[in-house]
Amino acid sequence: MKVTEKSLKARCTELNFGILKDTGFGVRVERISSTYTVSLVYRDSTQPEILLQDATAAEADACISGVATTTSVYKATQGTQKPEFVSQELFLKQHGERCPKCGSRDITQGHITKAKGELEQWCSCSRCTTTWNSCYNLAGYALLEKCSSEP
């Protein structure tokens, strides 16, 4: 069966409203001239991630199928039930740049306050409205070099 632009777009729509519905991303295919680009499109303000560029229709179809298979395998091995919040370890690996509940990068950060010998910063997710405090510990200091134009 010949792969067409219409069949690629239909497959993306099927996946986005099916197996990818409860993930933080969807898949998109675009035809540019005579080639195709396949991207992951995040459901927050994160920039899309190009998976394949300047591909034939068959290559784009294989890439889209790969996204579907990877998602299916992950759900089968990890289960479809996600914990309500990410672990502290994962939050630290993400450098506090994602919501600990939904994973969105669309977060608002407030003022930093001193509490219990550490610094806390109020944060809020614009996507799921979760609020939390990011906690910071003193790690040391770094001396700044004086510029020659300063007295």
Side-chain angles (χ1 to χ4, degrees):
M1 180 171 131
K2 183 176 178 178
V3 179
T4 64
E5 181 178 5
K6 184 177 179 179
S7 68
L8 289 172
K9 289 189 176 198
R11 178 76 170 133
C12 288
T13 300
E14 172 191 331
L15 291 173
N16 291 336
F17 287 106
I19 195 167
L20 300 177
K21 184 178 181 181
D22 59 348
T23 65
F25 61 89
V27 66
R28 175 178 64 199
V29 66
E30 294 176 290
R31 183 175 181 179
I32 301 169
S33 192
S34 62
T35 63
Y36 294 89
T37 298
V38 179
S39 306
L40 286 183
V41 181
Y42 295 93
R43 301 189 198 285
D44 59 14
S45 61
T46 305
Q47 292 287 24
E49 183 178 339
I50 295 175
L51 299 174
L52 185 65
Q53 198 168 8
D54 298 326
T56 65
E59 292 168 333
D61 185 51
C63 183
I64 293 165
S65 294
V67 170
T69 301
T70 302
T71 303
S72 296
V73 169
Y74 177 78
K75 284 183 175 183
T77 59
Q78 302 297 316
T80 55
Q81 294 289 9
K82 294 190 318 185
E84 188 173 3
F85 295 96
V86 299
S87 67
Q88 294 286 332
E89 180 183 0
L90 181 56
F91 185 76
L92 292 174
K93 282 183 182 178
Q94 295 170 340
H95 307 289
E97 295 175 347
R98 292 186 174 271
C99 171
K101 183 171 184 178
C102 72
S104 170
R105 287 188 179 172
D106 193 8
I107 58 176
T108 302
Q109 297 174 322
H111 294 285
I112 297 175
T113 57
K114 183 177 176 184
K116 303 176 218 156
E118 62 183 18
L119 299 177
E120 292 183 348
Q121 184 175 31
W122 177 88
C123 300
S124 175
C125 177
S126 299
R127 181 175 176 209
C128 71
T129 68
T130 298
T131 58
W132 69 95
N133 281 336
S134 289
C135 303
Y136 303 94
N137 290 312
L138 183 64
Y141 70 93
L143 295 174
L144 302 176
E145 293 185 35
K146 275 191 166 181
C147 294
S148 58
S149 62
E150 290 184 20

